Amino acid sequence: MNATKNNIGNNSTTRRKKTKTTAPTTKGIRRVDASNERQLGSSERPTEISSNLSTSDAFLKTCFMPKLKENDITVKQTKRKSAKIERDFYKSLSQLAKHYDITTMPTQHFNYPYNISLALRDIEAQLKTKSENWQSIRLIKKASKTYFAIEERCNTGATLFYVPVVPLYQFLHNKVHRKAACLLLSVCAYLYRNADVPYYRLEDSYLYYNYEMLNDWLEQDEEIEDSQNSKKELQRAEIIGDMMGQKISNHKNVLFFEQRLKRFRPKDRFDKECLQLAEKAFKLYCDYPNESIKRNAHYNNAVKSEDMDEDDYYNEETVVAMDKYISFFAESDGLIYDNLTSMVNNEFNEYAETQEPMIFKTFDASNITDKNLDFENQLFKVLNELCQLLN
């Protein structure tokens, strides 16, 4: 509204400044052998002539550096200290690679800290396939040292390793499978006496408490459905449990283990499976005669220090202890079994974590611990196969 009227044509357009010629994105133009005259009677296109210089399609063949995350490297130092970190890092990496017999990816030619990030990614990927029990790897800064620390753990997979004794009692009184049952009795005796697997008829065991609770419920409430059958099952669990407890705790069943193996001749498929299991258990007994299943028992939240030192932290309100999910018990059939497993599962669902065998290894140029989880790995396999046979 404030513009001057009839001012069109009074102003001249300002001449733009010429810019410098820009470099083309592609260095060359694709030419064709075109002719001035129109070509008739042919559908062929003019022949393309490639440019004399490479174009930008090499972008697709480029390997880019990974984005560096703050969590990938826990050590933050200035550039002045980066050389010391790199020296410690590659010394620890060399020690780790030798221990696990792996070949690391060459990363020294990359700049810091990408070389460390790449090496961490590579070593983590290889450990996942190399080590059965590998759990996590961390780069630790302690005092003036930088080194690797690795956690190995047996993953139990939220499994209840409950070995039934009532079926074993029945096999011992079966003429066809009595000798096979004696082999399994030696296996159970080894598990109880040497490997420290709890027995449900001992008052300090976890399942003893649960069976007593079921018994109290039946006595207090007579209107429970099938209470008579449940009482009979409980009575059988107590009587047979006490009888089998005496046999399993008898050291002679461990002493006769090898002799029973040599004399045993399988007659059917069940006998063969019992023999194979007994051989695995006897080898485990010979290799680890005095090892307990709790020898490397730790808790996931037990590692509280920065350098993954082991701690004896225990909180029974938040952790499922090993003696709660590994044990002998009566049988995996009937009303009592259904109620027992329901009670156990409901209780375990309230816990935050599970106690599992763990070991920690540090690669700081000192002697590496000779600890391993070979015993635990084999023992869990024996327990699993024994449960399947007796069930």
Side-chain angles (χ1 to χ4, degrees):
M1 293 174 63
N2 298 324
T4 305
K5 295 183 179 180
N6 303 322
N7 60 351
I8 299 176
N10 295 332
N11 298 324
S12 60
T13 304
T14 304
R15 183 181 295 252
R16 295 182 180 179
K17 290 184 179 181
K18 278 191 174 182
T19 60
K20 294 182 180 180
T21 305
T22 58
T25 55
T26 58
K27 299 179 181 180
I29 301 174
R30 188 178 295 272
R31 305 184 307 278
V32 296
D33 57 346
S35 173
N36 291 332
E37 296 181 1
R38 183 182 299 272
Q39 301 295 323
L40 300 175
S42 176
S43 60
E44 293 185 2
R45 296 176 60 86
T47 304
E48 291 184 350
I49 301 176
S50 300
S51 61
N52 56 353
L53 296 175
S54 60
T55 57
S56 58
D57 61 350
F59 169 85
L60 302 175
K61 302 177 182 179
T62 303
C63 180
F64 295 95
M65 298 292 289
K67 183 179 179 181
L68 186 66
K69 297 180 181 179
E70 183 178 342
N71 293 334
D72 288 343
I73 302 174
T74 60
V75 183
K76 293 183 178 180
Q77 295 291 334
T78 61
K79 291 183 178 180
R80 185 178 60 181
K81 296 182 179 180
S82 63
K84 174 68 168 59
I85 296 173
E86 288 184 83
R87 285 196 301 270
D88 290 349
F89 175 85
Y90 283 107
K91 284 181 181 179
S92 181
L93 181 63
S94 176
Q95 193 179 15
L96 183 150
K98 183 178 179 180
H99 179 75
Y100 287 101
D101 190 23
I102 58 180
T103 303
T104 58
M105 180 179 74
T107 58
Q108 290 90 336
H109 59 285
F110 291 103
N111 293 329
Y112 176 85
Y114 284 102
N115 52 354
I116 294 181
S117 179
L118 282 171
L120 276 171
R121 176 182 294 188
D122 171 64
I123 203 70
E124 182 174 324
Q126 293 197 57
L127 284 172
K128 287 180 180 179
T129 58
K130 191 73 176 180
S131 177
E132 178 183 357
N133 302 115
W134 178 85
Q135 180 65 26
S136 65
I137 180 172
R138 291 174 60 186
L139 189 60
I140 302 299
K141 172 68 172 66
K142 185 177 182 182
S144 60
K145 278 189 174 183
T146 303
Y147 56 89
F148 282 108
I150 287 183
E151 174 190 337
E152 295 184 11
R153 181 176 66 189
C154 280
N155 188 354
T156 58
T159 303
L160 295 176
F161 296 93
Y162 288 173
V163 181
V165 298
V166 172
L168 181 58
Y169 171 83
Q170 295 170 343
F171 282 133
L172 287 170
H173 291 78
N174 186 325
K175 293 182 179 180
V176 178
H177 297 298
R178 177 174 173 77
K179 292 183 178 180
C182 289
L183 279 180
L184 298 183
L185 179 60
S186 291
V187 173
C188 291
Y190 158 69
L191 293 175
Y192 173 76
R193 293 184 58 85
N194 298 69
D196 291 336
V197 175
Y199 195 78
Y200 75 103
R201 290 301 298 155
L202 299 180
E203 293 186 4
D204 60 345
S205 67
Y206 169 71
L207 289 186
Y208 179 88
Y209 163 77
N210 284 273
Y211 276 106
E212 286 296 309
M213 185 179 295
L214 287 172
N215 189 36
D216 292 342
W217 286 351
L218 289 174
E219 290 180 354
Q220 294 173 6
D221 192 352
E222 295 292 339
E223 296 182 358
I224 296 178
E225 186 178 357
D226 293 330
S227 62
Q228 293 301 321
N229 292 332
S230 297
K231 288 181 179 179
K232 290 180 180 179
E233 290 180 12
L234 269 179
Q235 188 177 12
R236 180 172 61 181
E238 293 177 3
I239 296 174
I240 296 180
D242 291 337
M243 294 172 60
M244 292 303 299
Q246 295 178 1
K247 294 180 180 294
I248 290 174
S249 61
N250 191 338
H251 71 282
K252 291 183 179 180
N253 284 310
V254 179
L255 294 177
F256 295 152
F257 200 165
E258 183 177 9
Q259 185 178 350
R260 288 172 177 172
L261 271 174
K262 292 180 178 179
R263 293 182 177 180
F264 184 71
R265 298 293 182 270
K267 298 179 180 179
D268 54 20
R269 181 179 177 181
F270 178 77
D271 285 355
K272 290 180 180 179
E273 292 178 350
C274 291
L275 177 61
Q276 292 173 357
L277 173 61
E279 289 174 343
K280 293 178 183 178
F282 183 72
K283 184 180 183 303
L284 196 60
Y285 165 62
C286 294
D287 294 341
Y288 307 93
N290 300 314
E291 296 292 347
S292 167
I293 196 170
K294 300 178 183 179
R295 67 172 190 165
N296 290 315
H298 300 285
Y299 295 92
N300 297 350
N301 64 347
V303 185
K304 294 186 177 296
S305 57
E306 184 183 11
D307 57 344
M308 300 176 73
D309 286 337
E310 299 172 21
D311 191 3
D312 293 329
Y313 176 82
Y314 175 78
N315 187 349
E316 61 180 2
E317 295 182 356
T318 60
V319 180
V320 180
M322 290 182 68
D323 57 2
K324 290 184 177 181
Y325 65 87
I326 303 174
S327 179
F328 289 97
F329 82 129
E331 57 186 327
S332 58
D333 190 24
L335 297 172
I336 292 299
Y337 168 75
D338 294 338
N339 286 297
L340 178 67
T341 54
S342 178
M343 288 171 54
V344 170
N345 286 324
N346 289 337
E347 181 178 350
F348 288 179
N349 286 335
E350 299 178 0
Y351 292 110
E353 53 191 314
T354 302
Q355 183 189 36
E356 295 175 317
M358 291 184 189
I359 57 174
F360 307 97
K361 296 180 180 180
T362 55
F363 301 88
D364 55 356
S366 60
N367 293 329
I368 304 174
T369 176
D370 58 352
K371 285 185 177 181
N372 58 66
L373 297 173
D374 294 343
F375 168 72
E376 288 83 356
N377 290 332
Q378 297 178 52
L379 185 61
F380 279 119
K381 291 177 182 178
V382 168
L383 283 170
N384 192 42
E385 292 182 19
L386 180 61
C387 292
Q388 291 179 2
L389 275 177
L390 293 177
N391 284 329

